[in-house]
Amino acid sequence: MVKNLTNGRPLKLLFFFAMPMVLGNLFQQLYNMVDSMVVGKFVGEDALAAVGSSFPVVFLSVAIAAGLSMGCTVVISQLFGAGQMKEMKTTVFTALIALGAIGLVIMALGELTSLPLLRLLGTNEEIMGDSLVYLRIYFGGAVFLFLYNTLNGIYNALGDSNTPLKFLMVSALTNIGLDLLFVIRFNMGVAGVAWATLIAQGMCAVFSFYILMKRLAKMENEERYEGEKPALFELSAAKRIARIGVPSMIQQSIVSLSMMLMQGLVNSYGKVFVAGYTAATKIDTLAMMPNMNFSNAMSSYTAQNIGADKDERVEEGYKASLLMVLIFSAIITGIIFLFGPHLLGLFLNAGSAGSAMDYGLKYMKTVSVFYVLMGFMFVGNGLLRGAGDMGAFMLSSMSNLFMRVIIAYLLAYFIGSSAIWWSIPIGWGIGAIFSFVRIRSGKWKSRKLLEEDDAT
C-alpha cells in the first residue's frame, strides 16, 4: 500500500516503515545463508570457500544495481512528496527501462570477466573451478537482479515496504526448497545453489513488476494532467536518477572494490581462514540488516519530506533513527556474544585454535561491539542521500572504505590476520563523524533535486 511519510509521528512512521525492510532483507540474507549452509554441510569446506571467494565479485554487481536503484528511490520519493504524480510515473518507467538494459550489459560482461576477476583476487586453484561455476551462473541472472532492486526501490519510494517483503518471503522459501532439491537430491554441488538463487530471484522480479504496473494504473495524475498518459522514457528523468544513482553506484562499487582488496588479504592466510571469515561475514551481514534498513527508510523519509518542503520533520526523523540504532545494536551485539558459536555452527564444524570456527568467532566478537558506530554512519548517510547531498554522502562513505582497507593492510604487518576485523569499526567511526558534522551544519537542506531542476 502506498504511504505518505510527510505526516504523523516520525519515530512510529520510521519504525513501521523500516521493519518490513528489515524482515525482507533478513529473508534475502536467509537464502544467501542457506546457500552457504547447504554447501558447507553437504558439499564441504572447500566448496564453502569457493562461494566465499566469489562473493566480492557478486557484490560488485549487487553494488551497481543497488546504487542506481537508490537514485530511483530518492527522485521518485521527492516527486511523490511534492504531489507530481504524472512525472513520478514517467520516472518509474524510465528507471525500469534504463536499469533493465544495464542489467543485460552486466550479464554479458560478467560471463566474460568471471575468470580474470577470480584470478585477480588470488583465488586458490583448488577452489577455482567451483568459484567460476558459481559466478557464471549468478551473472546469468543479472537482469533479474537489476530489475528487482529497481522495483524494490520504487515501492520504498512510495512508502510501501510491505509488498517487497511478501515477494521476498516467497522467494526465500522457493530458494531454500530448490537448494535442498538441487544439492541433496540431484548432487549438483555449488552449481545447484547458484541455480536456486537465480530462479528464485527471477520469480520475485517478474511478480513484483506485474503488481507495480497494476498499482500505477490506478493512481490518478494531478488535476492539470488528468487523463494524460505519462511518457515511457524521458531523458530529463534519467538525468535526475543519474544525479543520485551514479554517485551511489560509485560508492557501492568502491565498497565492492574494498571487499575485493580485503578478500585478497584474507586469501593470503589460507583456505581455513577463508572458510572462517566467509562464515563470520554471513552472520555479520545479517546482523547489519536493521541498521542498513534504517538508513534506507531514512532516505525515503527524507526525500518525501524535502519534496513536501518539511525540512523540520527530517531532523526529527534523524533523531528517531539514532534512537532505533542504539536499541537494535545493543540487542544484536548481545545475541552474538551469547550465541556466536551456535550461529557459526550452522556453517562450520567445531574446532580448536587456528580452526575456521576460531577465526570466525574472533571476527564476530570484535566487530559486533561497534555496530552502533555503523548504525550512526548509515543513518546519517541515508539522510544525506535522501536530501540529494551526494558530495557529503560520498565523502563519508569513501573515508570509511578507504581507511578500512589502508588500516587493514598496515596493521597486518604488526598484528596479523586480526587487522582485518579491527579495521572495520575504525572505518565506521571515521565515516560517522563526517556525516554527523555535515548534518549539524544544515547545508544538506539546500540540495533539493526538484528546485535544482526547476532553476535550470
Side-chain angles (χ1 to χ4, degrees), residues 83-86 219-228:
Q84 299 179 26
M85 305 305 289
K86 179 175 176 286
M219 295 175 67
E220 296 183 357
N221 297 339
E222 57 268 43
E223 189 174 337
R224 59 177 171 160
Y225 294 120
E226 190 174 352
E228 291 188 25

Side-chain angles (χ1 to χ4, degrees), residues 157-174:
L158 300 176
D160 180 7
S161 52
N162 285 305
T163 299
L165 170 62
K166 294 172 184 176
F167 286 125
L168 271 171
M169 290 173 67
V170 174
S171 179
L173 293 174
T174 301

Side-chain angles (χ1 to χ4, degrees), residues 1-23:
M1 180 181 293
V2 173
K3 188 169 186 179
N4 193 316
L5 302 175
T6 62
N7 296 298
R9 291 177 56 197
L11 179 59
K12 182 179 179 181
L13 271 176
L14 282 164
F15 178 79
F16 286 105
F17 181 45
M19 280 303 101
M21 292 188 196
V22 173
L23 292 174

